[in-house]
Amino acid sequence: MLCTRLTNARILTMDPDRPVAHDIGIWRGRIVGLDAAVTSLPARETVDLQGATVLPGFIDSHVHLAWAGLKADTPSIAPCERVEDVLDVVAAAVTRKEPGAWVDIAGYDQRALGRHLTATELDRVAQGRKIFLMHDSGHACVVDSAVLDLLPAEVPHQDGFLAESAMTAVRRLRLPYSQEELADAIERAGRACLAEGITACAEAGIGGGLLGHSPVELGAYQLLRDQGRLPLRVQLMAAGDTLHPLAAHRDDGIPRSLDLGLRTGFGDDWLSLGALKIYTDGGMMARTAALTDPYEGMSTSGQFQDDPERIAELIVDGHLAGWQLAVHAIGDRAADLALDALERAQERRARPDARHRVEHAGLIRPDQLPRFARLGVSAVVQPNFLRYFGDDYADVMGERRAPWMYRGRGFLDHGVTLVGSSDRPVTDGSPLRAIQFMVERASTSGRPIGPDEGVTVDEALHAYTVAGAYASHQDDSAGSLTPGKRADLVVLGDDPRAVGTSRIGDIEVVATYVDGRTEKGKA
C-alpha cells in the first residue's frame, strides 16, 4: 500500500527519460512510481492536486540559515536613508540592553546613506554599549568606540568601519552564540525556505570564517535534528579555518583536517557534511570583491581575505584531505586565484569526481570560462543579486564588464554546471524570482543586465533541482522525481514553462513536501 498518491497534477520530473507525469506514488518517503505504475495501487492518502504543477523540491545550494534567522529577529536600519534616522533606531535598541551589552543592528548598507557611518556617530547614542552594525553583504561592519577599544591595535579600520578579516576580528569578540539561540534561528530561516518551495540547502560556512557563529555550531543543527525540528535537509560546509594540522599516517597525504578526519559525505539524508568553504575575496556590495581592474570611477580593485599563497595552500590541503571544495570567489582576480589553486590541487592528487565549486563567480572574464570547464568546477551563482542590486553592480563594473556578471549562458555553453542559490539573507531567497531573472536578465528597475547571458526556463529550473543535487553529491537521491529518489517536491499554482516570463516570480507555492509529507513554512 502506498503512503500517499498525488494525482491530477502536471508533474515536471526533471528526468529526461520521463519528463512529464500525472500521478506519483510515495512510500516511506521515497518515490515508488509514476502514472500507470501507481494509479491502481491502494494508498492511505490520495491527494487531488486539481491540475497544479509539481516539481522536484528546489535546492538552494548556498545559504546562511543561522545568520538569516538571527537577522530576522534583529532591529534593522534597512529603510533608513539619513544618518539621523539610523541613530534613532540604534538609540531605541540601546535602551533594551543592559550597560556593557552587545547591541546588534541589521540592514546596514552604506549605499543608502551615500557614505559609511562612523564610530564617532554611533558613540553619540551608544551609552556604553557595544554597537555592532552588520553590513548586508556579510563582508563588513561598523562598530562604536567601545568595540574598537577591545581590538588589537593592528586591526585596521576607518573610524569604526571594518571589512573582511578586520570584521572577523570583531566577530570573534562577539562570539559564541549559544546552541539553543542558533537552533531557534536556523528553524526560523528553514521554515521561510519551505514557504518558497525549498526542500534542501547548503549552509555555506559554519564554525569559523567570516560568518561562523560558534566553534560548536554543528551542534545546533544536531539539536534541531534530535528534537524533530529540522525543517528541511541541510548540508553543512565547514569553514576552511576549522582545518588544523593532524598527525595522520604519512601514506594518507593529509596535511590538515578536522578532528577524526571528518570530511565531505559524513552524515545522512537530513544532515551531512558538504564542502569545505574557503574565502578568497570580499563582495561587490562592500566593494571588496577582488578585481583585475579597479571599480569604475574608484581607485580600489578590492582585496583578498589573506595572503594569496596561504589561501592557495588551504585549497590544496583541503583537496588532499578529501574534501569537496566550495571556494568563494566573486571578482575575476579572485577567480584566477581559485582556479590556479584548484588546478594545482588536482595535479598533486587527481580526484576527477571531486565536484569542486566556485561560490558566486560574480565576475568571470570570457577567458576564464574554458578553465572552469576543463577543471570540472561548478559555478554556484546568485541570480537575485542582479535582480535587486544589478543597477548598482553594473555601474561599478562599467559597460565592458557588466555582461560578465553572474553568468548563465556563458557557463552552459562551455559545459560548466550552473547551480542556483540565494546567499540568503544577503538578498531575497525565492528560487522562482531567481529563475525569472535567469531567463529575462533584467533588474527590478527593468534595466537589462547582460541579456546575452539569459537561459531558458528549463535550464533555470535545472540549476535549482538537478544541478543542485549534483553539486551536493546527492544526485542519486534528489534533484528529479524519479522512482527510488526522495519524495521531496514542490506544488506550484502555475507551470513556470507556460506562463509569461514576467510572471514566474509571482507563481504561488501551494505546498512543499519533504520525505513525502507536507511541511509548514513561514513566509
Side-chain angles (χ1 to χ4, degrees):
M1 176 179 285
L2 299 173
C3 296
T4 304
R5 181 172 60 247
L6 305 180
T7 187
N8 190 20
R10 179 168 179 75
I11 301 168
L12 308 181
T13 66
M14 303 305 294
D15 180 350
D17 294 331
R18 181 70 177 276
V20 180
H22 300 286
D23 284 24
I24 189 167
I26 299 169
W27 184 72
R28 293 190 177 180
R30 295 276 170 168
I31 298 167
V32 295
L34 302 167
D35 291 347
V38 297
T39 51
S40 62
L41 296 179
R44 295 192 184 98
E45 178 187 34
T46 298
V47 181
D48 185 346
L49 292 178
Q50 301 179 2
T53 297
V54 176
L55 278 159
F58 296 126
I59 299 171
D60 191 332
S61 296
H62 185 118
V63 302
H64 301 280
L65 292 180
W67 177 21
L70 291 168
K71 183 178 179 180
D73 204 34
T74 299
S76 177
I77 58 171
C80 300
E81 296 181 354
R82 301 188 313 146
V83 170
E84 293 76 10
D85 296 334
V86 170
L87 295 180
D88 286 345
V89 173
V90 176
V94 161
T95 62
R96 296 191 290 270
K97 295 287 187 176
E98 296 294 321
W102 284 89
V103 179
D104 292 315
I105 303 291
Y108 176 64
D109 185 343
Q110 84 284 357
R111 297 173 302 177
L113 302 175
R115 64 171 176 83
H116 281 298
L117 206 64
T118 68
T120 303
E121 289 166 331
L122 290 177
D123 289 345
R124 286 161 39 193
V125 296
Q127 299 183 38
R129 276 71 166 180
K130 295 186 280 288
I131 311 295
F132 179 81
L133 273 66
M134 180 74 157
H135 196 279
D136 269 345
S137 67
H139 288 269
C141 65
V142 177
V143 300
D144 66 346
S145 295
V147 176
L148 294 177
D149 290 344
L150 300 175
L151 288 170
E154 64 271 15
V155 175
H157 70 91
Q158 301 168 20
D159 198 1
F161 172 74
L162 302 98
E164 309 305 343
S165 57
M167 184 200 72
T168 303
V170 175
R171 283 181 57 79
R172 289 196 183 107
L173 299 174
R174 176 68 179 82
L175 304 180
Y177 292 81
S178 73
Q179 288 195 1
E180 288 191 4
E181 185 179 11
L182 291 175
D184 289 344
I186 293 161
E187 182 180 21
R188 187 181 304 121
R191 297 212 173 276
C193 290
L194 286 176
E196 294 171 341
I198 298 165
T199 57
C201 67
E203 168 69 58
I206 65 167
L210 283 176
L211 296 170
H213 293 87
S214 168
V216 292
E217 195 165 355
L218 191 151
Y221 291 87
Q222 289 186 289
L223 179 63
L224 283 172
R225 179 75 191 279
D226 292 346
Q227 296 176 348
R229 295 167 50 203
L230 190 62
L232 73 171
R233 304 182 196 277
V234 181
Q235 190 174 82
L236 303 169
M237 299 185 198
D241 57 3
T242 59
L243 263 62
H244 52 266
L246 287 176
H249 192 283
R250 65 182 181 184
D251 290 346
D252 292 339
I254 298 175
R256 282 184 275 184
S257 183
L258 291 187
D259 289 336
L260 302 179
L262 291 175
R263 59 174 174 83
T264 302
F266 184 81
D268 59 21
D269 280 351
W270 277 93
L271 186 62
S272 62
L273 272 178
L276 184 72
K277 172 72 175 296
I278 298 175
Y279 286 93
T280 64
D281 67 344
M284 287 187 189
M285 193 188 304
R287 313 306 195 227
T288 52
L291 311 179
T292 303
D293 299 314
Y295 289 86
E296 196 76 8
M298 303 173 68
S299 59
T300 181
S301 56
Q303 66 187 79
F304 289 123
Q305 293 283 348
D306 196 357
D307 175 75
E309 185 54 35
R310 280 199 291 268
I311 295 172
E313 287 175 357
L314 180 57
I315 290 171
V316 172
D317 285 355
H319 173 89
L320 294 176
W323 286 89
Q324 178 190 25
L325 302 177
V327 185
H328 167 116
I330 293 184
D332 60 330
R333 183 160 55 108
D336 281 333
L337 171 59
L339 295 171
D340 288 347
L342 290 171
E343 185 168 26
R344 188 197 308 178
Q346 290 285 12
E347 288 171 351
R348 287 277 302 274
R349 181 181 298 164
R351 291 175 52 209
D353 197 37
R355 303 190 192 182
H356 296 322
R357 313 154 39 139
V358 168
E359 308 298 300
H360 308 297
L363 187 76
I364 301 300
R365 302 187 310 270
D367 64 284
Q368 293 173 316
L369 293 170
R371 292 197 71 196
F372 270 81
R374 181 165 55 82
L375 292 169
V377 175
S378 299
V380 184
V381 300
Q382 297 75 40
N384 275 336
F385 277 14
L386 293 188
R387 177 176 169 86
Y388 294 98
F389 310 140
D391 293 355
D392 172 64
Y393 286 10
D395 287 343
V396 297
M397 289 301 111
E399 184 177 354
R400 179 177 64 93
R401 292 181 295 181
W404 305 345
M405 294 191 298
Y406 297 93
R407 291 176 178 270
R409 174 58 51 204
F411 284 126
L412 293 179
D413 285 352
H414 283 80
V416 177
T417 300
L418 177 66
V419 185
S421 69
S422 69
D423 206 13
R424 179 192 305 265
V426 176
T427 190
D428 185 354
S430 165
L432 286 170
R433 286 190 279 275
I435 287 165
Q436 177 178 324
F437 175 84
M438 293 177 78
V439 178
E440 65 182 5
R441 295 289 298 195
S443 69
T444 53
S445 73
R447 179 176 178 175
I449 310 289
D452 291 344
E453 288 295 323
V455 302
T456 67
V457 175
D458 280 327
E459 288 167 336
L461 291 171
H462 188 277
Y464 276 90
T465 54
V466 179
Y470 174 86
S472 59
H473 286 273
Q474 296 181 350
D475 44 318
D476 61 339
S477 59
S480 66
L481 299 179
T482 303
K485 291 192 176 184
R486 303 188 305 232
D488 296 350
L489 51 92
V490 57
V491 182
L492 301 177
D494 262 313
D495 181 347
R497 304 185 307 180
V499 303
T501 302
S502 63
R503 291 181 51 206
I504 293 174
D506 295 324
I507 292 175
E508 178 189 5
V509 176
V510 177
T512 304
Y513 285 73
V514 183
D515 241 13
R517 298 186 296 272
T518 53
E519 296 290 339
K520 293 181 180 179
K522 182 178 180 181

